[in-house]
Amino acid sequence: MVDEGEVRRIAGLADIQIPEDEMPAFTVQFNRILDYFEVLDTLGEAGAGERALHTVMRDDEPRPSLAREAVLANAPADEDGFIKAPRVM
Amino acid sequence: MSGVVIGLEIHCQLDTRTKLFCPCSTDYRDDGPNTHVCPVCLGLPGTMPAVNRTAVEYALRVAKAFHCEVPVECEFSRKNYFYPDLPKGYQITQYDRPLALGGYIEIEGDGGLEKRVRLTRIHIEEDPGRLVHKGGGDRARYSLVDYNRSGVPLIEIVTDPDLSSPKEARRLIEHLRATLEYLDVYDPEKEGSLRVDANVSIAGHERVEIKNISSYRGVEKALTFEITRQRSLIRRGVAVERETRHFVEERGTTRASRTKVEEHDYRYFPEPDLPPLRVADRAAAIELPELPAARRERFRVQYGLSPNHARTLTGNPGLAEFFETVAGDDPVLAATWVADTLLGELNYRGRPVGSVGPARFSALLALLKSGRITDRSGVEVLRIVLDGDEHPDAVVERLGLAVTGDDTVSAAIAEVIAEFPQAVADYRAGRGNAINYLAGQVMKKTRGQADPRELGRRLADALAEDGPCT
């Protein structure tokens, strides 16, 4: 069982805000999802570490990148070719 | 330094042409921000990573050089956190199934004996973008992001806590850097191509992680500072706190990270877009080139070099090859001039050894070996050759630096004895040092071409002949 405190912490890690009044409902849903995983767990260990496919690798050959105007067009703000973001340290 | 326990996490950029998961060129040094990016390394929705084979092969070379075990299968994982330099909201790295496990790096330990530093693991991951803060980190009101670096392949090499001093840590990094260059997987000229996090503790106390050490010279400084800080806490009876600190390069100090980094929940899970990687057979097929330790030993045996010269000259592959090109029939003379003189002159000019023509340097060595110029003139000629475009023979000719015949030196001795009667009188009065002054004057007149060993004897003879010693 997951409690509200844990839901709050995971919301923080996922960078989403959950209004306090919706917290009880989210906690119920969260636990319901975890219950589904418990059903999956009854299938046993098959799968983990035994994925059938393997990665195919590509050659180290450069291809053109995007034009900078196109890149910056997706940014909420830019300055001198950089994308502007909230200050972090 | 007893009681000091150090482990390192070293991130090295692999010198591939393209990024780890997309074909954007990594050669962005001379280009503006955000010019080497595509939907994949920008983390746009719907994109899929495709692994760069060369990056994996480079990482395997490193694993093999350091005697690691390469499991049959390894896997990429997502490390989830939010930071503007990470456009996807996660970094593709390796977690519980890394490319390589175990292995060791051999360094010279503080006791002078060979020491094995064990490796925990080596894994591959993508570099995040680069953040810039205008007007310095403290004053900027926002962060500027350049994603050119986003997706550049890195290997992270994690050591066991086997190091016992900042000096050992520096030696390990230097040895690692040299090996990466010999393996031809790394470009030391690229800014930020080697970055280190260090864990350090005093035995019996909590350990501290130092992040943000971006030069291998910084490693020794950061650790020395941190050990002093921890020792003085302990001396005052204050407990060392388990924390993450940042290295402040300009001041050579560490400071507590502003945001208390608690044990992050990165929610690692296997990267669903990349099935496992099976590369153990590729690792087995790799043939390694001669590595620094083997070449050092060969230089000692084959050329009769001193351990110090052998170590210096094998410090990077370009230098070692240069030495072998100019070694000729007097490798010890060549070693002395390359290690003790040329390197200093190049350092002073901030130039790599690759910028020196081996033919010209060999010509200089030939002049020295035949005794046509003195060591002192040799340094002068070398400087001129380095700064201009002149052949050593031409420099010697133009400046008349060839060792002067007896006549010229004899004339200079006679002139000096006539011109400096006070020094002559001092010498004759028993103050033997005065002869050095006179010898200096002769050197000046002959532009340093007189053989200094012979000059002293000849001056003494001349002074004895010229008048009676009292």
Side-chain angles (χ1 to χ4, degrees), chain B residues 9 197-200 207-211 226 230 241-246 255 257:
Chain B
E9 292 169 18
D197 298 341
N199 285 295
V200 55
R207 89 177 130 85
V208 169
E209 182 175 16
I210 314 171
K211 287 197 172 280
E226 183 56 24
Q230 292 182 18
E241 222 182 309
R242 179 156 188 164
E243 60 174 343
T244 302
R245 299 178 67 87
H246 267 75
R255 62 163 167 74
S257 295

Side-chain angles (χ1 to χ4, degrees), chain B residues 223-237:
Chain B
L223 285 169
T224 305
F225 175 85
E226 183 56 24
I227 290 163
T228 308
R229 191 189 70 86
Q230 292 182 18
R231 283 234 161 96
S232 93
L233 285 177
I234 294 164
R235 208 175 302 121
R236 285 182 282 137

Side-chain angles (χ1 to χ4, degrees), chain A residues 55 58-60 79-80 87, chain B residues 18-19 53 134 137 140 275:
Chain A
T55 282
R58 71 177 164 82
D59 291 337
D60 189 24
E79 184 176 306
D80 299 337
R87 182 178 186 281
Chain B
T18 69
K19 295 185 179 181
R53 183 184 303 110
K134 283 211 173 139

Side-chain angles (χ1 to χ4, degrees), chain A residues 9 13-15 49 51 53-63 65-66 68 71-72 74 79-89, chain B residues 17-19 22-24 33-34 37 50-54 73 75 82-83 133-134 137 140-145 265 267 271 274-276 278:
Chain A
R9 191 176 74 88
L13 288 169
D15 207 18
R51 292 155 78 183
L53 293 169
H54 296 121
T55 282
V56 176
M57 296 186 277
R58 71 177 164 82
D59 291 337
D60 189 24
E61 286 295 329
R63 292 223 298 267
S65 298
L66 293 173
R68 186 155 77 187
V71 174
L72 297 181
N74 276 313
E79 184 176 306
D80 299 337
F82 292 93
I83 291 169
K84 232 167 146 177
R87 182 178 186 281
V88 286
M89 268 308 291
Chain B
R17 299 176 66 205
T18 69
K19 295 185 179 181
C22 66
C24 283
N34 297 309
V37 291
V51 178
N52 181 339
R53 183 184 303 110
T54 304
E73 202 170 277
E75 188 172 66
F82 290 107
Y83 212 67
H133 295 99
K134 283 211 173 139
R141 293 195 320 281
Y142 47 82
S143 299
L144 295 175
V145 198
D265 186 351
R267 293 156 294 146
E271 168 58 67
L274 291 169
R278 292 191 151 232

Side-chain angles (χ1 to χ4, degrees), chain B residues 253-422:
Chain B
T253 60
T254 64
R255 62 163 167 74
S257 295
R258 198 168 308 161
T259 45
K260 269 261 198 250
V261 183
E262 31 182 311
E263 201 52 21
H264 246 112
D265 186 351
Y266 288 121
R267 293 156 294 146
Y268 284 99
F269 60 87
E271 168 58 67
D273 290 340
L274 291 169
L277 206 54
R278 292 191 151 232
V279 289
D281 50 342
R282 281 179 191 276
I286 287 172
E287 281 183 40
L288 293 175
E290 186 182 42
L291 294 175
R295 190 169 261 191
R296 198 159 64 223
E297 193 49 34
R298 180 165 66 77
F299 276 20
R300 289 220 302 255
V301 175
Q302 182 179 340
Y303 299 116
L305 302 191
S306 70
N308 266 342
H309 278 162
R311 183 177 296 278
T312 304
L313 294 172
T314 51
N316 72 64
L319 178 61
E321 272 144 38
F322 180 86
F323 165 74
E324 294 209 79
T325 312
V326 302
D329 55 1
D330 196 343
V332 173
L333 178 82
T336 306
W337 275 85
V338 175
D340 300 344
T341 310
L342 177 64
L343 281 185
E345 296 293 332
L346 287 173
N347 246 340
Y348 175 72
R349 289 165 178 75
R351 277 169 52 178
V353 72
S355 68
V356 185
R360 287 191 175 181
F361 194 80
S362 292
L364 172 65
L365 290 176
L367 288 167
L368 287 159
K369 187 172 165 58
S370 67
R372 272 194 69 210
I373 59 173
T374 61
D375 286 3
R376 204 177 115 170
S377 298
V379 175
E380 192 179 345
V381 173
L382 177 61
R383 287 180 181 154
I384 293 169
V385 170
L386 287 177
D387 292 332
D389 187 32
E390 218 173 339
H391 193 277
D393 292 343
V395 178
V396 170
E397 182 77 17
R398 178 165 63 81
L399 298 178
L401 291 175
V403 171
T404 311
D406 275 2
D407 293 352
T408 324
V409 177
S410 301
I413 288 173
E415 277 171 44
V416 165
I417 288 175
E419 280 168 36
F420 298 92
Q422 185 56 53

Side-chain angles (χ1 to χ4, degrees), chain B residues 24-319:
Chain B
C24 283
S25 159
T26 55
D27 188 16
Y28 50 77
R29 223 177 311 187
D30 300 326
D31 296 324
N34 297 309
T35 51
H36 290 244
V37 291
C38 73
V40 174
C41 56
L42 278 175
L44 299 188
T47 54
M48 293 282 269
V51 178
N52 181 339
R53 183 184 303 110
T54 304
V56 172
E57 287 191 350
Y58 283 4
L60 289 172
R61 273 189 216 169
V62 179
K64 189 151 184 177
F66 293 133
H67 322 280
C68 304
E69 181 212 333
V70 176
V72 174
E73 202 170 277
C74 68
E75 188 172 66
F76 288 100
S77 288
R78 289 188 182 181
K79 178 182 182 179
N80 300 278
Y81 63 97
F82 290 107
Y83 212 67
D85 62 9
L86 200 65
K88 296 191 293 295
Y90 58 85
Q91 179 192 30
I92 304 181
T93 176
Q94 296 190 293
Y95 183 53
D96 48 358
R97 303 178 72 200
L99 180 87
L101 293 162
Y104 58 88
I105 298 182
E106 262 167 353
I107 61 163
E108 189 195 330
D110 280 341
L113 294 174
E114 200 150 90
K115 174 169 181 171
R116 271 189 189 187
V117 177
R118 290 166 299 168
L119 300 183
T120 315
R121 57 188 274 151
I122 298 179
H123 71 249
I124 309 178
E125 63 186 25
E126 55 178 341
D127 213 345
R130 183 176 66 103
L131 295 178
V132 175
H133 295 99
K134 283 211 173 139
D138 291 336
R139 268 168 293 157
R141 293 195 320 281
Y142 47 82
S143 299
L144 295 175
V145 198
D146 172 13
Y147 289 116
N148 282 350
R149 200 180 69 184
S150 167
V152 167
L154 295 178
I155 42 170
E156 179 174 332
I157 300 170
V158 183
T159 78
D160 285 0
D162 283 353
L163 295 156
S164 345
S165 76
K167 276 204 164 58
E168 286 191 354
R170 195 204 62 210
R171 270 185 230 126
L172 180 112
I173 306 266
E174 278 173 1
H175 183 74
L176 171 65
R177 181 202 43 77
T179 306
L180 294 175
E181 283 187 56
Y182 274 69
L183 294 170
D184 204 16
V185 302
Y186 169 73
D187 179 1
E189 300 296 317
K190 269 191 191 157
E191 192 193 329
S193 54
L194 197 143
R195 304 192 293 275
V196 181
D197 298 341
N199 285 295
V200 55
S201 63
I202 311 293
H205 298 270
E206 282 291 357
R207 89 177 130 85
V208 169
E209 182 175 16
I210 314 171
K211 287 197 172 280
N212 193 36
I213 313 176
S214 59
S215 74
Y216 63 94
R217 290 171 203 88
V219 172
E220 193 177 355
K221 260 211 256 173
L223 285 169
T224 305
F225 175 85
E226 183 56 24
I227 290 163
T228 308
R229 191 189 70 86
Q230 292 182 18
R231 283 234 161 96
S232 93
L233 285 177
I234 294 164
R235 208 175 302 121
R236 285 182 282 137
V238 183
V240 176
E241 222 182 309
R242 179 156 188 164
E243 60 174 343
T244 302
R245 299 178 67 87
H246 267 75
F247 178 51
V248 187
E249 179 112 51
E250 314 84 65
R251 274 172 270 162
T253 60
T254 64
R255 62 163 167 74
S257 295
R258 198 168 308 161
T259 45
K260 269 261 198 250
V261 183
E262 31 182 311
E263 201 52 21
H264 246 112
D265 186 351
Y266 288 121
R267 293 156 294 146
Y268 284 99
F269 60 87
E271 168 58 67
D273 290 340
L274 291 169
L277 206 54
R278 292 191 151 232
V279 289
D281 50 342
R282 281 179 191 276
I286 287 172
E287 281 183 40
L288 293 175
E290 186 182 42
L291 294 175
R295 190 169 261 191
R296 198 159 64 223
E297 193 49 34
R298 180 165 66 77
F299 276 20
R300 289 220 302 255
V301 175
Q302 182 179 340
Y303 299 116
L305 302 191
S306 70
N308 266 342
H309 278 162
R311 183 177 296 278
T312 304
L313 294 172
T314 51
N316 72 64
L319 178 61

